[in-house]
Each structure stands twice: as structure tokens, then as C-alpha cells.
Amino acid sequence: MTQWSGYFGLILQGALVTIELTLMGSVLALIMAFLAGLGRLSRFFAIRALATAYIEFFRGTSIFVQLFWAYFVLPFIGISLTPLQAGVLALGLNVGAYAAEVVRGAIQSIGREQYEACIAVNLGRWQAMRHVILPQALLVMLPTFGNNAIELLKATAVVSLISLTDLTFQAQVVRSQTGNTMVPFTTILIIYFALALIISWGVRSLERRMARGLDGVRV
């Protein structure tokens, strides 16, 4: 029993790394989503082209290849990253590309009457976007953002391939040392599920709060 308590301690340490990866990767993904999503709606062709290239590249290539490229290839051009930094970079850029289309679609879903009302009250393009359009679009984005965050959480398992001690890596360590596959992998299965439930609950709570305050935003 004492031996297994030590192994469960290893798995909990891996859970902390997974949570750290998920939080940091989500922040980067959110930043990239808004930059690229708004970029796709820009009036300037160069900005639209750059945003589109980013989205298509990171959606069209494997997260495994992106992770390996960040960790093993970037050092050849003088950029050395720790496993954690490489994991956050690859996960954030990958999920951000998917979330960027969520941003674009949500903004375009807002009715034309809202844009016309902004013009009627003499709001500039970015004033209208900041004070009227984005608050309404955020409510549309939130459910899919929650799905993206859960996908990012599950994708953190790939970082075990570059020896980052996340949940999956620690489960493999326990399996190799005990010869038991069922216990460590059932344990991390439950932990992943619990973390996903926490994300879902957090997103739903935020969605309800935003919905209550939305009426004061519409013009």
C-alpha cells in the first residue's frame, strides 16, 4: 500500500503539470484566436492573408509534428525551448487556429441591425466592436471555447513524447515500474474526466453570468 501511495503521488505530480499546460496553453490559444479571428475580418488584405495562413497551417498539420518541430527543430535556428515551453507553444498555436474560426463566426453571427445601430449612435468601428459586437459575440463563442479547452486538455498527453512529466508520462512510469497497466491508466482516465468536467462547469457558469448582463449591451 505504501508503495502504491508513492506511485499515486507521482501521478498527482503529473496532474499538476497537465493543469499548468492546460492553463498556459489556453491563454496562448485565446490570444491567438482573437488575433487571427479578428485578422480574418480585417479590411486589409495582408492581415487577412496572414491570419488565414496561420489558421490553415496549424489546422492542417499534425500536433505531433508541431510539437516535435518546436522542441527538436527550433534549436537548429538558435531557439531552444524547455519541454514545458515547447508544449505550451505547440498546443496554444494548434488550438488557437481552431478557436480563431469560432471568433470569426461568432462576430459574423451578430445581426446587421446591431451594426446599423452603432452607426446611428455615431460609434466608430472599433468602439462598436469593443462595446457592442464583441460582448454579444463572446456569449456565442463560449460553448465552443469550452470544447476547445477540453480538446487542449486531452491533447496535453502528447507532451509525454518529449519527456515532460505530465499525467500520461507518469502513468507510463508507474506501469514500467509495477508491471500494472490497469491501475495507473484507469487513474489518469478518471483525472482527465474530472478536469474536463471542471472546465465544462466553469464555462457554463460564465455563460450564465454573461447572459444575465447582455441586455444592457445591445443597442
Side-chain angles (χ1 to χ4, degrees), residues 9 19 34 174 217:
I19 292 170
F34 277 95
V174 173
V217 172

Side-chain angles (χ1 to χ4, degrees), residues 11-202:
I11 290 175
L12 289 178
Q13 290 175 19
L16 293 177
V17 174
T18 294
I19 292 170
E20 185 178 8
L21 267 172
T22 302
L23 291 175
M24 295 173 68
S26 295
V27 169
L28 178 58
L30 199 60
I31 293 170
M32 296 306 301
F34 277 95
L35 287 176
L38 292 172
R40 287 267 282 161
L41 300 172
S42 174
R43 295 174 177 176
F44 302 102
F45 173 77
I47 295 176
R48 291 199 309 273
L50 186 62
T52 301
Y54 157 70
I55 291 169
E56 296 302 329
F57 178 80
F58 280 95
R59 288 196 311 177
T61 54
S62 167
I63 182 62
F64 289 96
V65 178
Q66 293 165 16
L67 177 65
F68 279 26
W69 203 91
Y71 188 63
F72 294 112
V73 178
L74 284 182
F76 286 103
I77 58 174
I79 304 174
S80 295
L81 301 177
T82 66
L84 180 63
Q85 291 170 338
V88 169
L89 182 65
L91 290 167
L93 292 178
N94 182 273
V95 175
Y98 289 93
E101 289 295 86
V102 177
V103 172
R104 180 187 62 81
I107 291 173
Q108 291 182 324
S109 73
I110 303 303
R112 179 172 291 276
E113 69 278 0
Q114 293 295 307
Y115 292 90
E116 293 173 348
C118 290
I119 294 172
V121 296
N122 202 31
L123 290 179
R125 176 179 170 85
W126 288 108
Q127 286 178 313
M129 184 65 71
R130 177 183 174 187
H131 297 293
V132 179
I133 305 304
L134 271 181
Q136 297 178 64
L138 278 172
L139 190 60
V140 179
M141 298 175 200
L142 272 178
T144 311
F145 275 174
N147 289 338
N148 291 147
I150 291 172
E151 287 298 324
L152 192 150
L153 165 68
K154 295 187 293 184
T156 58
V158 303
V159 302
S160 62
L161 298 173
I162 57 172
S163 300
L164 186 59
T165 55
D166 73 315
L167 267 173
T168 302
F169 182 90
Q170 297 290 33
Q172 291 171 342
V173 170
V174 173
R175 183 179 65 122
S176 67
Q177 292 184 4
T178 64
N180 188 310
T181 299
M182 185 182 73
V183 172
F185 281 97
T186 300
T187 302
I188 69 168
L189 189 71
I190 293 169
I191 293 174
Y192 277 121
F193 181 60
L195 292 174
L197 285 180
I198 291 171
I199 292 172
S200 295
W201 175 82

